[in-house]
Structures are given as C-alpha cells and as structure tokens.
Amino acid sequence: MTSLGGSSSSTTEYTVRVPKNTSKKYNIMAFNSGDRVNCSTWTQARMERDMSARRIYGEEESAEGAAGSEFGKKQREEARRKKYGIVTREFKVEDQPWILKVNGKAGKRFKGLKKGGVTENASYYIFTQCPDGAFEAFPVHGWYNFTPQAKHRTLTAEEAEEEWGRRNKVVNHFSIMLQRRFREQERGGDDDDDENEKSGKKKKKGGGRGGDLRIHDLEEDLEMSSDDSDSSMGDDGEGKTKAKKATGKGKAKKKKRKSSDKEALEDSDDGDYEGLEVDYMSDESSSSDEELEKGKPGKAEHHPKGIDEASESEEESEEEKQNEEEAKEEEEEEEGKKTPVQTEKKKKKDSSGESESSDDSDIEGETASALFMKKRTPPKRGGRGSAGSSRTGSRPGTPSIDSASTSNTLRAAASKLEQGKRPTPGPSTDSPAAKRLKMEPSSQSPVPSGKSTPQPPSGKSTPSSSDVQLTEEAVRRYLIRKPMTTKDLLKKFQTKRTGLSSEQTVNVLAQILKRLNPERKNVNDKMHFYLTE
Amino acid sequence: MSDKTEVNLTGVKQSKGVWLVKVPKYLSLQWDKATEKGEVGKIIIGKKQGKTEVRFSLNEELTALGAVGEQDASLQVPRDHPFTMHTVGGQTMAVFSQSNADEISLEGMVVHRAECRPVVNDNYMKLKKLQIKASTKPQRLSQQLERAVTTVFKPVANHDFNVEHEKKKKSEGKMVRAEWQVVLDMLFSAFEKHQYYNIKDLVDITKQPVTYLKEIMREIGTYNSKGAHKSTWELKPEYRHYQSAEEEEMQTA
C-alpha cells in the first residue's frame, strides 16, 4: 500500500486479492427499502430452505417395498417417461427459496426468492477490506430477494375482488375481516343463530359481508346460495340494493337455511317405485297387475301370476319386490322345461291372475311335484296355504281350477292305465268335488263314443283341420313302429293339428290306449307302450 | 427439512461494510487464472479535485488472453478499469455466506455498489470482436462427408446381439421345474418385497418355466387385469399380511 501525497490529488493503492480456496459461498440478501430492515437490530436469526415445492416436483413414490408396490415400477416409469419424451424439471435444492426467521417466534419472517440470471453475463464480487488494507474479492454465488411475510390474515383473491367492487360503499374497513372471522367460525363450528345475528348487526354500519364466492362442497353451496346470489349481484355493480339487503340477509339466510333443511328431511314417496324393473310379460292382465302393484306400493301382498307362481309370489310379497323379477325369470325358465301342452296351461294361468283358494295351493303342492319339476320349500307350503286362503274371495278361481283339472286329468290318464281295466274311472282321489264333476262328464263322454265305433271319438271332438287325426289307427301305427311313452304320444297329436283341446286330447288318447291295451315295458325308468303285429 | 441453521450475525454486528462490484466476464475469467496467492491487481483510490476516483489496475501477468505465461502481443485484456460507484439507495443489501457444512453467516452490509468498466480503446474493441465471433458460432455443426459411412448397415448373417443372446440361452439351458415347495418359498420371499409382480419378472426371479409358474400362481395368487397395477400378479389375501408402510416405519422407529 503506497500513498502518494500530492497537491490536488491523493491516491491510495490497495491490492486486490481473489482468494482461491474459499469453502464459503457468498450470496446477496436483498431487502426492499420500504420494509425498513435493519440487520443490526437482529438478535437472533434462523434460516432454512423452503422445501414445500418438493411435493410438486418430486414424483410421489407409492409405497416402496412391501404393500402396494410393484416390482420394477421405477424403471418402468422412467422408461415410459422417456418414451413419451416427458422431461420433468429437476428439483434443485440450490434454487429453492429461503425462509428467514428473525428474533424467534414472535419476530419477523422473510422469504427469499432466488433471482435468476445474475451470474450469466457479468460476475458480481464482494470487496471487503481486510485488516491489512488489502481488498479481498469474493464472487457472488446467488442473489436472493427477501420479502417480509404477513402474519395477519388476508383476504383470498375472490374476496379481494369482491371488496374491490364495494370499495366505494364500504366505510368501515375493520368489519371486513371481522365478517370473515365470523364466517370461518360458522363453517367450522355449529350453526349458531347468535353468530348470524351478530353479523347482522355489523352490517348495519353499511359494511357489506365478504362474499362467499367460494367453491365448496354441495351442502355449503346450498346453504350459502342466498349469499352467493347476493354477492354476484354485488360484483355486477348493483351495490345500491346490497346495503339494504345486507341487513335483511342475515335473518333471511337463517330462515332459508332452515327451510332448506326441512325440505331435505322430508321423504317423498312418489318417486320411490319409478325405477322398478318389471320383466317382460306377454299378457294384458300382467300389465294390469303392474298397475295394481304400483298403485299399492306399500302393500306387502300382490297377486301372483298363476298356480305355480302363487307360491313364489307369496314368498316375494313377504320379502322384497325385486324378487318378482326373479320369479318371472323362473317362469320363463320353466316354460322352457315344459311340454307344449303344459305351456298352454301355463298361459292360462297367467291370464287367470289369481288363485288364492286353499284348495289350489294344496293342488299346487301335489301336482307340481311330479310333472313340473319345480323347486319347492315344503315348510312354506303350510304357511302359504293359510295365506292363500285368507286372500280368497275377490279373485276368481275357476280358470285355475281348469288348469288344475287338466293336470289332474293327465295324471288320471296315467293312473287309469296303471289300474288297467278297473271299473273305477276315478281320477286321483285328492281332486275336489268341483273338479270331479267336470272330470266325470269328460271322462264319460269319450267312453260311449269309443265303444260305439273305433272311429275317432266324434262325440267330444270334431277335428276340423287336421294333418294328424287322433285315431286309434294312428296310435296303433305309432306303437307298432316303436315303443312310446304317453308323453311322446301326446306330442304326436298336438292340439294345433288335431283341433282338439288338450283335455280332450288326453281323454281321447286315454280311451284309445285303453282299447288297444298295448304291452308295456320300462325303458329308462319310463313306461313305454308298444304293439307287436 | 426441519433443521434450521442458526445464522451467525457477527458480521452484521460489527457493521462490516462491503462493496458489491459488478465485474465483466472476461475480467473475472482472468482473475480465475490468478496464482495461488490470489493477487489480481490493485485498486487505486484517488481524489481529484474533490472527487473520489476509484480505479482498478490489472496485474501485468494477467493481461494475456489465453494461458498464463503466454504473451500474445496482439490481444491483451485492458488493464485499467475505472469503477463507477453508487450508493445503495433503494435496497438494503446484506451478504450472507453458506459454508460447505451448511453454516450460514451474515458477512456484512453492502455500503457501496460499483461497476468495473473497461477503458474503451482499439484493443478493447478487438477483444470484443473476438468475443462476439466466438459467441455467434453455432453449437451444432453440419459437416459434409466425402464418403458415405459403410460400417453400419452391412448385411450380416446373424447380428452380434443375437449371437450373444443365443449363446447365453444355450449356456443357461432350459428352465427346469423345481419342487413345488421350493418355488413357493421363492415366491413368498419375493412377494415380501413387493406386492405386485409381472409374470415375466417372476420368471426372471424364479427361473421356472412359465406354465409351471402360472400353475403355482393360480393357486396362491390372483391376477389383476384392470386397475392401477395393470397386468400383475399378487398374492391372495389369505396368504399375505402386509402392514402399511407407515406402520412399518413406526415399528422400526
């Protein structure tokens, strides 16, 4: 260091050193002059990096190892990213902001954001003067602008916009934050009327409420709906009415909220059964059934569709209505299993709509077991029977009697043949009187006709259009050709072709078989008839 | 990061004043070439008619562009650099340093700002011209080749990679079915590490043929065809007892 004394100029020289081996990195901490920061007043300071951005940049690792993790997931993710050219910016700790806390918990807080581009074109050096008079120059590594962080509550952006709209009207600015605090209490705690009133009082001063232009869950939207509408009005600039409305709003809001709550609580029964699915139904009566059901939603009972389904629908009525679907599906299933004759019978049952007599339910039990191959719950039968009997009266039972009788007659035919030439033409012993009456004339009528001529029994049946006539000859032909069961024979003489009704077919066939008296043999546990000539 | 570093406030307490000087890039480059001692030049502060003038004079040996010791007569970095001084009006600036051990200390307050300016003369202009030329050069360059490259696409009977692959396969041989229990043990230990596995990865791990492995997996595991872990296998619930990661952490902590 040399100093030259001069008349008008004096110069001092200092050497400048740039230390090479500094372990320290120098940074600039810049404050705004308006903040009036005086570092010398600091007693204690703490500084750390603000790592909150790590969540955004760093990908969430889902459970590494053990539960929930996949083998080789990382590699796959990386490969996928490379394939799509996704370049994710690295999370550099160096570039993260600083958080500076001065004078402990009660003191100030600063956030220091890194200023970019400082060291790109020019380098900054810090010149400090050493005790020996020389200057030491340290390069500046980074520049951080520190701004003080507010500890007090602030308005959100939406709220701020709202207040901006009302800036000319609002006189009392203190109330703004007060409103906000109250509102937060309301939302967090219970629905207090007091708070509403309080807020109502505050409004009198003309300060409007802070708006509730918040995007919340549905309930809050509903509750605050009135507020929203008002606040939106305010935003449009119609603030004139707002002041007046504000006072009334508090009470109105309370009322509205309560009313909306009440509304929500009430149950409406009307729409309960709209979405009920009803299975495909072929007949009109079934639609009437639908209507009836819909008309009586509360009733546990609703009429079943037929004998077979009576049991099931009775079960349904005790349970839920959805099972009706299942029952109908079962109906469909069963149709597939039955023979054509039986399907006809079934259709009859559908049209009948009701068979509630206890007799019917008894018959169901017996007839169905052998011929209809249905699943039954025996214990329920008794209950059903009683339930059925209780429901009789309003519904006609005759068609079902018919169907019962037809099933009965088939059985009767079979039993007749087994009995051989026994004089008793009796049908099954369990048939009720009404059916017997019907049976007897029907059984009797083909007999005389059969006795008179070997021709087709014309007494009862007049085949109008027939490709196949139900004659003894025809039956004989079939039986000579190969052994057949009664069922097979029935199939041959379909009612459509012979023009006979199913009852008649059965009767006539029974007569014919009686006359022919074919030989029997058991094939596959079924009784086959055959003739040898 | 929960650990907070206590800031060493000694520098500020002592009210050490520092200068923040903006230095041109070429000059800082020259400074980097300085010797171990670190002397780069001199600051000359003079008072001329009441005005303070600060000048920086670069050391002789550092004026050469290029390697140290080379004396390139044509181009030399200018030596004289007057400083333009400003006061720190608008900003309160402090200097803090961060050591390698993440210790933060406040070094001092900035009292003056300065800019190191070169003296504009022909020499400087030439220097600048050089700089501009260097910066305008494109980073990528397209070169014309005299002859076409023929080394890459020659047809080959069997590619190197394929040959290697086949050799490797032959040496390893076919995957042999190990005992059912042995494979089960392998699988269970694998599933302890991760919950979801691809069948290919399992084959890799267990070295079992795919069909056999699938049989075993069908017994002890289920296949996820949809969902987050697309086509992966996982153990059936009765075979697994995963604890959530948090629980594990708590247990280990």
Side-chain angles (χ1 to χ4, degrees), chain A residues 58-83:
Chain A
E59 280 74 30
E60 273 297 323
E61 303 296 334
S62 59
E64 301 188 20
S69 74
E70 249 186 66
F71 180 80
K73 182 140 184 119
K74 267 194 218 158
Q75 290 94 320
R76 216 178 304 136
E77 282 296 317
E78 208 189 301
R80 186 177 162 273
R81 238 176 277 128
K82 272 195 190 163
K83 172 175 149 191

PDB file of all heavy atoms in Angstrom, chain A residues 58-83:
ATOM      1  N   GLY A  58     -41.073 -33.529  -7.061  1.00  0.00           N
ATOM      2  CA  GLY A  58     -40.724 -34.919  -6.852  1.00  0.00           C
ATOM      3  C   GLY A  58     -41.935 -35.792  -7.035  1.00  0.00           C
ATOM      4  O   GLY A  58     -42.983 -35.545  -6.480  1.00  0.00           O
ATOM      5  N   GLU A  59     -41.807 -36.845  -7.814  1.00  0.00           N
ATOM      6  CA  GLU A  59     -42.968 -37.704  -8.034  1.00  0.00           C
ATOM      7  C   GLU A  59     -43.261 -38.473  -6.770  1.00  0.00           C
ATOM      8  O   GLU A  59     -42.366 -38.936  -6.107  1.00  0.00           O
ATOM      9  CB  GLU A  59     -42.703 -38.689  -9.169  1.00  0.00           C
ATOM     10  CG  GLU A  59     -42.878 -38.085 -10.534  1.00  0.00           C
ATOM     11  CD  GLU A  59     -41.733 -37.164 -10.881  1.00  0.00           C
ATOM     12  OE1 GLU A  59     -40.620 -37.406 -10.394  1.00  0.00           O
ATOM     13  OE2 GLU A  59     -41.965 -36.200 -11.605  1.00  0.00           O
ATOM     14  N   GLU A  60     -44.536 -38.634  -6.503  1.00  0.00           N
ATOM     15  CA  GLU A  60     -44.948 -39.364  -5.312  1.00  0.00           C
ATOM     16  C   GLU A  60     -44.583 -40.813  -5.468  1.00  0.00           C
ATOM     17  O   GLU A  60     -45.037 -41.480  -6.374  1.00  0.00           O
ATOM     18  CB  GLU A  60     -46.461 -39.239  -5.125  1.00  0.00           C
ATOM     19  CG  GLU A  60     -46.898 -38.013  -4.356  1.00  0.00           C
ATOM     20  CD  GLU A  60     -46.389 -38.012  -2.934  1.00  0.00           C
ATOM     21  OE1 GLU A  60     -46.336 -39.093  -2.322  1.00  0.00           O
ATOM     22  OE2 GLU A  60     -46.038 -36.948  -2.430  1.00  0.00           O
ATOM     23  N   GLU A  61     -43.784 -41.281  -4.585  1.00  0.00           N
ATOM     24  CA  GLU A  61     -43.449 -42.693  -4.632  1.00  0.00           C
ATOM     25  C   GLU A  61     -44.494 -43.435  -3.820  1.00  0.00           C
ATOM     26  O   GLU A  61     -44.674 -43.179  -2.648  1.00  0.00           O
ATOM     27  CB  GLU A  61     -42.060 -42.930  -4.024  1.00  0.00           C
ATOM     28  CG  GLU A  61     -40.962 -42.135  -4.692  1.00  0.00           C
ATOM     29  CD  GLU A  61     -40.768 -42.538  -6.139  1.00  0.00           C
ATOM     30  OE1 GLU A  61     -41.084 -43.692  -6.484  1.00  0.00           O
ATOM     31  OE2 GLU A  61     -40.312 -41.712  -6.912  1.00  0.00           O
ATOM     32  N   SER A  62     -45.139 -44.353  -4.501  1.00  0.00           N
ATOM     33  CA  SER A  62     -46.175 -45.064  -3.776  1.00  0.00           C
ATOM     34  C   SER A  62     -45.583 -46.296  -3.123  1.00  0.00           C
ATOM     35  O   SER A  62     -45.191 -47.231  -3.802  1.00  0.00           O
ATOM     36  CB  SER A  62     -47.285 -45.466  -4.739  1.00  0.00           C
ATOM     37  OG  SER A  62     -46.748 -46.277  -5.759  1.00  0.00           O
ATOM     38  N   ALA A  63     -45.558 -46.277  -1.875  1.00  0.00           N
ATOM     39  CA  ALA A  63     -45.160 -47.402  -1.037  1.00  0.00           C
ATOM     40  C   ALA A  63     -43.998 -48.194  -1.616  1.00  0.00           C
ATOM     41  O   ALA A  63     -44.190 -49.180  -2.324  1.00  0.00           O
ATOM     42  CB  ALA A  63     -46.342 -48.322  -0.793  1.00  0.00           C
ATOM     43  N   GLU A  64     -42.830 -47.769  -1.325  1.00  0.00           N
ATOM     44  CA  GLU A  64     -41.694 -48.533  -1.815  1.00  0.00           C
ATOM     45  C   GLU A  64     -41.531 -49.766  -0.956  1.00  0.00           C
ATOM     46  O   GLU A  64     -41.378 -49.699   0.233  1.00  0.00           O
ATOM     47  CB  GLU A  64     -40.439 -47.677  -1.716  1.00  0.00           C
ATOM     48  CG  GLU A  64     -40.577 -46.408  -2.522  1.00  0.00           C
ATOM     49  CD  GLU A  64     -39.259 -45.653  -2.584  1.00  0.00           C
ATOM     50  OE1 GLU A  64     -38.217 -46.285  -2.355  1.00  0.00           O
ATOM     51  OE2 GLU A  64     -39.277 -44.468  -2.838  1.00  0.00           O
ATOM     52  N   GLY A  65     -41.566 -50.836  -1.600  1.00  0.00           N
ATOM     53  CA  GLY A  65     -41.378 -52.090  -0.884  1.00  0.00           C
ATOM     54  C   GLY A  65     -42.638 -52.521  -0.161  1.00  0.00           C
ATOM     55  O   GLY A  65     -43.409 -51.705   0.273  1.00  0.00           O
ATOM     56  N   ALA A  66     -42.837 -53.781  -0.077  1.00  0.00           N
ATOM     57  CA  ALA A  66     -43.986 -54.378   0.641  1.00  0.00           C
ATOM     58  C   ALA A  66     -45.296 -53.946  -0.003  1.00  0.00           C
ATOM     59  O   ALA A  66     -45.413 -53.895  -1.188  1.00  0.00           O
ATOM     60  CB  ALA A  66     -43.918 -54.039   2.118  1.00  0.00           C
ATOM     61  N   ALA A  67     -46.221 -53.626   0.801  1.00  0.00           N
ATOM     62  CA  ALA A  67     -47.583 -53.468   0.306  1.00  0.00           C
ATOM     63  C   ALA A  67     -47.683 -52.381  -0.751  1.00  0.00           C
ATOM     64  O   ALA A  67     -47.090 -51.322  -0.612  1.00  0.00           O
ATOM     65  CB  ALA A  67     -48.509 -53.134   1.466  1.00  0.00           C
ATOM     66  N   GLY A  68     -48.454 -52.656  -1.739  1.00  0.00           N
ATOM     67  CA  GLY A  68     -48.809 -51.643  -2.714  1.00  0.00           C
ATOM     68  C   GLY A  68     -47.741 -51.337  -3.746  1.00  0.00           C
ATOM     69  O   GLY A  68     -47.937 -50.503  -4.611  1.00  0.00           O
ATOM     70  N   SER A  69     -46.617 -51.982  -3.666  1.00  0.00           N
ATOM     71  CA  SER A  69     -45.583 -51.631  -4.624  1.00  0.00           C
ATOM     72  C   SER A  69     -45.490 -52.686  -5.710  1.00  0.00           C
ATOM     73  O   SER A  69     -45.873 -53.831  -5.530  1.00  0.00           O
ATOM     74  CB  SER A  69     -44.247 -51.513  -3.922  1.00  0.00           C
ATOM     75  OG  SER A  69     -43.787 -52.818  -3.608  1.00  0.00           O
ATOM     76  N   GLU A  70     -44.932 -52.290  -6.815  1.00  0.00           N
ATOM     77  CA  GLU A  70     -44.766 -53.205  -7.935  1.00  0.00           C
ATOM     78  C   GLU A  70     -43.304 -53.431  -8.167  1.00  0.00           C
ATOM     79  O   GLU A  70     -42.494 -52.538  -7.984  1.00  0.00           O
ATOM     80  CB  GLU A  70     -45.358 -52.570  -9.184  1.00  0.00           C
ATOM     81  CG  GLU A  70     -46.599 -53.256  -9.670  1.00  0.00           C
ATOM     82  CD  GLU A  70     -47.041 -52.654 -10.992  1.00  0.00           C
ATOM     83  OE1 GLU A  70     -46.310 -52.801 -11.967  1.00  0.00           O
ATOM     84  OE2 GLU A  70     -48.099 -52.022 -10.996  1.00  0.00           O
ATOM     85  N   PHE A  71     -43.021 -54.575  -8.650  1.00  0.00           N
ATOM     86  CA  PHE A  71     -41.644 -54.891  -8.941  1.00  0.00           C
ATOM     87  C   PHE A  71     -41.205 -54.119 -10.171  1.00  0.00           C
ATOM     88  O   PHE A  71     -41.832 -54.161 -11.209  1.00  0.00           O
ATOM     89  CB  PHE A  71     -41.540 -56.396  -9.202  1.00  0.00           C
ATOM     90  CG  PHE A  71     -40.160 -56.846  -9.525  1.00  0.00           C
ATOM     91  CD1 PHE A  71     -39.239 -57.040  -8.522  1.00  0.00           C
ATOM     92  CD2 PHE A  71     -39.788 -57.075 -10.831  1.00  0.00           C
ATOM     93  CE1 PHE A  71     -37.960 -57.473  -8.818  1.00  0.00           C
ATOM     94  CE2 PHE A  71     -38.513 -57.517 -11.140  1.00  0.00           C
ATOM     95  CZ  PHE A  71     -37.609 -57.713 -10.125  1.00  0.00           C
ATOM     96  N   GLY A  72     -40.125 -53.416 -10.038  1.00  0.00           N
ATOM     97  CA  GLY A  72     -39.605 -52.694 -11.201  1.00  0.00           C
ATOM     98  C   GLY A  72     -40.449 -51.527 -11.624  1.00  0.00           C
ATOM     99  O   GLY A  72     -40.443 -51.132 -12.778  1.00  0.00           O
ATOM    100  N   LYS A  73     -41.157 -50.936 -10.709  1.00  0.00           N
ATOM    101  CA  LYS A  73     -42.059 -49.850 -11.084  1.00  0.00           C
ATOM    102  C   LYS A  73     -41.260 -48.633 -11.512  1.00  0.00           C
ATOM    103  O   LYS A  73     -41.612 -47.944 -12.467  1.00  0.00           O
ATOM    104  CB  LYS A  73     -42.942 -49.501  -9.886  1.00  0.00           C
ATOM    105  CG  LYS A  73     -43.917 -48.410 -10.272  1.00  0.00           C
ATOM    106  CD  LYS A  73     -45.263 -48.665  -9.668  1.00  0.00           C
ATOM    107  CE  LYS A  73     -46.234 -47.623 -10.147  1.00  0.00           C
ATOM    108  NZ  LYS A  73     -47.314 -48.207 -10.870  1.00  0.00           N
ATOM    109  N   LYS A  74     -40.203 -48.364 -10.778  1.00  0.00           N
ATOM    110  CA  LYS A  74     -39.421 -47.160 -11.081  1.00  0.00           C
ATOM    111  C   LYS A  74     -38.861 -47.215 -12.484  1.00  0.00           C
ATOM    112  O   LYS A  74     -38.967 -46.248 -13.245  1.00  0.00           O
ATOM    113  CB  LYS A  74     -38.260 -47.057 -10.087  1.00  0.00           C
ATOM    114  CG  LYS A  74     -38.592 -46.236  -8.887  1.00  0.00           C
ATOM    115  CD  LYS A  74     -37.340 -45.889  -8.122  1.00  0.00           C
ATOM    116  CE  LYS A  74     -37.656 -45.937  -6.639  1.00  0.00           C
ATOM    117  NZ  LYS A  74     -36.510 -46.125  -5.806  1.00  0.00           N
ATOM    118  N   GLN A  75     -38.309 -48.376 -12.791  1.00  0.00           N
ATOM    119  CA  GLN A  75     -37.702 -48.475 -14.126  1.00  0.00           C
ATOM    120  C   GLN A  75     -38.754 -48.312 -15.204  1.00  0.00           C
ATOM    121  O   GLN A  75     -38.533 -47.652 -16.224  1.00  0.00           O
ATOM    122  CB  GLN A  75     -36.991 -49.825 -14.304  1.00  0.00           C
ATOM    123  CG  GLN A  75     -35.752 -49.971 -13.474  1.00  0.00           C
ATOM    124  CD  GLN A  75     -36.040 -50.641 -12.169  1.00  0.00           C
ATOM    125  OE1 GLN A  75     -37.060 -50.386 -11.542  1.00  0.00           O
ATOM    126  NE2 GLN A  75     -35.152 -51.518 -11.752  1.00  0.00           N
ATOM    127  N   ARG A  76     -39.893 -48.914 -14.921  1.00  0.00           N
ATOM    128  CA  ARG A  76     -40.940 -48.826 -15.928  1.00  0.00           C
ATOM    129  C   ARG A  76     -41.419 -47.398 -16.094  1.00  0.00           C
ATOM    130  O   ARG A  76     -41.674 -46.933 -17.208  1.00  0.00           O
ATOM    131  CB  ARG A  76     -42.109 -49.729 -15.537  1.00  0.00           C
ATOM    132  CG  ARG A  76     -42.717 -50.337 -16.781  1.00  0.00           C
ATOM    133  CD  ARG A  76     -43.831 -51.282 -16.502  1.00  0.00           C
ATOM    134  NE  ARG A  76     -43.455 -52.353 -15.622  1.00  0.00           N
ATOM    135  CZ  ARG A  76     -44.198 -52.770 -14.608  1.00  0.00           C
ATOM    136  NH1 ARG A  76     -45.338 -52.209 -14.368  1.00  0.00           N
ATOM    137  NH2 ARG A  76     -43.799 -53.748 -13.847  1.00  0.00           N
ATOM    138  N   GLU A  77     -41.548 -46.712 -14.966  1.00  0.00           N
ATOM    139  CA  GLU A  77     -41.985 -45.323 -15.043  1.00  0.00           C
ATOM    140  C   GLU A  77     -40.972 -44.488 -15.819  1.00  0.00           C
ATOM    141  O   GLU A  77     -41.350 -43.645 -16.644  1.00  0.00           O
ATOM    142  CB  GLU A  77     -42.138 -44.739 -13.637  1.00  0.00           C
ATOM    143  CG  GLU A  77     -43.407 -45.162 -12.941  1.00  0.00           C
ATOM    144  CD  GLU A  77     -44.651 -44.652 -13.662  1.00  0.00           C
ATOM    145  OE1 GLU A  77     -44.664 -43.486 -14.083  1.00  0.00           O
ATOM    146  OE2 GLU A  77     -45.584 -45.435 -13.820  1.00  0.00           O
ATOM    147  N   GLU A  78     -39.726 -44.755 -15.553  1.00  0.00           N
ATOM    148  CA  GLU A  78     -38.682 -43.993 -16.236  1.00  0.00           C
ATOM    149  C   GLU A  78     -38.712 -44.267 -17.729  1.00  0.00           C
ATOM    150  O   GLU A  78     -38.646 -43.341 -18.555  1.00  0.00           O
ATOM    151  CB  GLU A  78     -37.331 -44.399 -15.661  1.00  0.00           C
ATOM    152  CG  GLU A  78     -36.292 -43.315 -15.730  1.00  0.00           C
ATOM    153  CD  GLU A  78     -34.945 -43.860 -15.342  1.00  0.00           C
ATOM    154  OE1 GLU A  78     -34.827 -44.360 -14.214  1.00  0.00           O
ATOM    155  OE2 GLU A  78     -34.044 -43.807 -16.190  1.00  0.00           O
ATOM    156  N   ALA A  79     -38.848 -45.546 -18.053  1.00  0.00           N
ATOM    157  CA  ALA A  79     -38.894 -45.907 -19.475  1.00  0.00           C
ATOM    158  C   ALA A  79     -40.085 -45.257 -20.151  1.00  0.00           C
ATOM    159  O   ALA A  79     -39.992 -44.773 -21.283  1.00  0.00           O
ATOM    160  CB  ALA A  79     -38.970 -47.430 -19.622  1.00  0.00           C
ATOM    161  N   ARG A  80     -41.183 -45.238 -19.433  1.00  0.00           N
ATOM    162  CA  ARG A  80     -42.378 -44.647 -20.016  1.00  0.00           C
ATOM    163  C   ARG A  80     -42.192 -43.165 -20.260  1.00  0.00           C
ATOM    164  O   ARG A  80     -42.598 -42.625 -21.290  1.00  0.00           O
ATOM    165  CB  ARG A  80     -43.543 -44.889 -19.053  1.00  0.00           C
ATOM    166  CG  ARG A  80     -44.870 -44.443 -19.623  1.00  0.00           C
ATOM    167  CD  ARG A  80     -45.982 -44.775 -18.650  1.00  0.00           C
ATOM    168  NE  ARG A  80     -47.151 -44.002 -18.972  1.00  0.00           N
ATOM    169  CZ  ARG A  80     -47.372 -42.783 -18.504  1.00  0.00           C
ATOM    170  NH1 ARG A  80     -46.510 -42.231 -17.691  1.00  0.00           N
ATOM    171  NH2 ARG A  80     -48.456 -42.135 -18.855  1.00  0.00           N
ATOM    172  N   ARG A  81     -41.569 -42.525 -19.297  1.00  0.00           N
ATOM    173  CA  ARG A  81     -41.349 -41.092 -19.457  1.00  0.00           C
ATOM    174  C   ARG A  81     -40.417 -40.813 -20.617  1.00  0.00           C
ATOM    175  O   ARG A  81     -40.616 -39.885 -21.401  1.00  0.00           O
ATOM    176  CB  ARG A  81     -40.779 -40.501 -18.175  1.00  0.00           C
ATOM    177  CG  ARG A  81     -41.658 -39.393 -17.636  1.00  0.00           C
ATOM    178  CD  ARG A  81     -41.161 -38.867 -16.345  1.00  0.00           C
ATOM    179  NE  ARG A  81     -41.581 -39.651 -15.233  1.00  0.00           N
ATOM    180  CZ  ARG A  81     -40.759 -40.129 -14.326  1.00  0.00           C
ATOM    181  NH1 ARG A  81     -39.475 -39.898 -14.388  1.00  0.00           N
ATOM    182  NH2 ARG A  81     -41.226 -40.830 -13.324  1.00  0.00           N
ATOM    183  N   LYS A  82     -39.446 -41.648 -20.753  1.00  0.00           N
ATOM    184  CA  LYS A  82     -38.528 -41.440 -21.876  1.00  0.00           C
ATOM    185  C   LYS A  82     -39.242 -41.650 -23.200  1.00  0.00           C
ATOM    186  O   LYS A  82     -39.017 -40.917 -24.165  1.00  0.00           O
ATOM    187  CB  LYS A  82     -37.366 -42.441 -21.770  1.00  0.00           C
ATOM    188  CG  LYS A  82     -36.242 -41.944 -20.952  1.00  0.00           C
ATOM    189  CD  LYS A  82     -34.989 -42.794 -21.181  1.00  0.00           C
ATOM    190  CE  LYS A  82     -33.947 -42.432 -20.162  1.00  0.00           C
ATOM    191  NZ  LYS A  82     -32.905 -43.431 -20.055  1.00  0.00           N
ATOM    192  N   LYS A  83     -40.079 -42.619 -23.216  1.00  0.00           N
ATOM    193  CA  LYS A  83     -40.772 -42.935 -24.475  1.00  0.00           C
ATOM    194  C   LYS A  83     -41.627 -41.770 -24.914  1.00  0.00           C
ATOM    195  O   LYS A  83     -41.704 -41.440 -26.093  1.00  0.00           O
ATOM    196  CB  LYS A  83     -41.627 -44.184 -24.237  1.00  0.00           C
ATOM    197  CG  LYS A  83     -42.555 -44.526 -25.379  1.00  0.00           C
ATOM    198  CD  LYS A  83     -43.248 -45.835 -25.077  1.00  0.00           C
ATOM    199  CE  LYS A  83     -44.629 -45.877 -25.700  1.00  0.00           C
ATOM    200  NZ  LYS A  83     -45.386 -47.017 -25.205  1.00  0.00           N
TER     201      LYS A  83
END
